[in-house]
Amino acid sequence: MGRVLWVGLAALLCAAQARAGEVAVSDAWARATVPGQSGAVLRFSVTSQKEAKLLGVSSPVAGVVEMHSMTHDKGVMKMRPIASLPLPPGKTVELGSEGNHVMLLELKQPLKAGDSIPFSLAVQFAGKRKATVQATAAVRPLIGDD
Ligand SMILES: [Cu+2]
C-alpha cells in the first residue's frame, strides 16, 4: 500500500500543473481536415513569464504530435523535428504555419469546424522544474481567415 501511494505521488509530481499565470497560451487553432488527411498544423502563441523551454506537445486527438522547424534552403522548404523550443521570459513565441510549428499527426478522427481540441504543453523552467500547461484549440473552417 505504501508503494502504491509513492508511485501515485511520483506521477503527481511529474505532471505538476504550471502555476497560475506562469505560462499563457493564446490564439490556439487548427484548420478543419478533409477526409483522408492524417495531419494538421496546430497554431498557438505561448508566453512564459520565466526562462523556460517547450519540451513537447500532446493531444488526445493525435497519435503523435511533433514540433518542427521550417527553413528555406536554396529555394527548397525543409521541415525538421525539433526536440525543444526556447521560451524567453516575457516574450510571446508564435507557433504557426511558418518557421517553428506544431503538427498533429496520426489524427484519430477528422477535425471538424467548431470542434475544440484539448492539448497540453510540457514545459521545463530554467531551474529544471517541469510543468504541464493545458490549453484548447478551436477548429476553424477549411476556407476562411488565417
Ligand atoms: Cu511540419
Side-chain angles (χ1 to χ4, degrees):
M1 182 191 138
R3 185 166 180 275
V4 170
L5 186 66
W6 171 246
V7 170
L9 185 65
L12 202 69
L13 289 174
C14 291
Q17 292 279 319
R19 291 167 197 152
E22 259 181 345
V23 180
V25 175
S26 60
D27 303 321
W29 67 280
R31 183 78 69 200
T33 59
V34 295
Q37 183 181 342
S38 62
V41 178
L42 174 64
R43 297 153 213 250
F44 59 91
S45 298
V46 54
T47 313
S48 175
Q49 293 310 317
K50 297 169 187 157
E51 178 87 46
K53 57 186 175 181
L54 181 58
L55 298 179
V57 178
S58 61
S59 173
V61 305
V64 176
V65 184
E66 289 185 355
M67 297 193 291
H68 286 171
S69 72
M70 193 159 72
T71 52
H72 292 268
D73 184 17
K74 300 184 185 90
V76 180
M77 200 174 76
K78 288 181 179 168
M79 288 202 306
R80 277 181 310 182
I82 48 175
S84 70
L85 186 71
L87 302 176
K91 185 172 182 283
T92 299
V93 175
E94 278 184 47
L95 289 141
S97 56
E98 305 251 330
N100 297 322
H101 60 276
V102 170
M103 298 195 74
L104 304 170
L105 303 172
E106 297 176 22
L107 287 171
K108 293 172 184 170
Q109 59 198 47
L111 303 181
K112 292 199 286 297
D115 283 355
S116 18
I117 306 170
F119 65 102
S120 71
L121 312 184
V123 170
Q124 183 168 33
F125 295 101
K128 300 292 176 215
R129 180 170 58 93
K130 290 185 184 177
T132 58
V133 181
Q134 310 294 333
T136 307
V139 180
R140 293 188 187 170
L142 268 174
I143 297 167
D145 298 334
D146 262 358

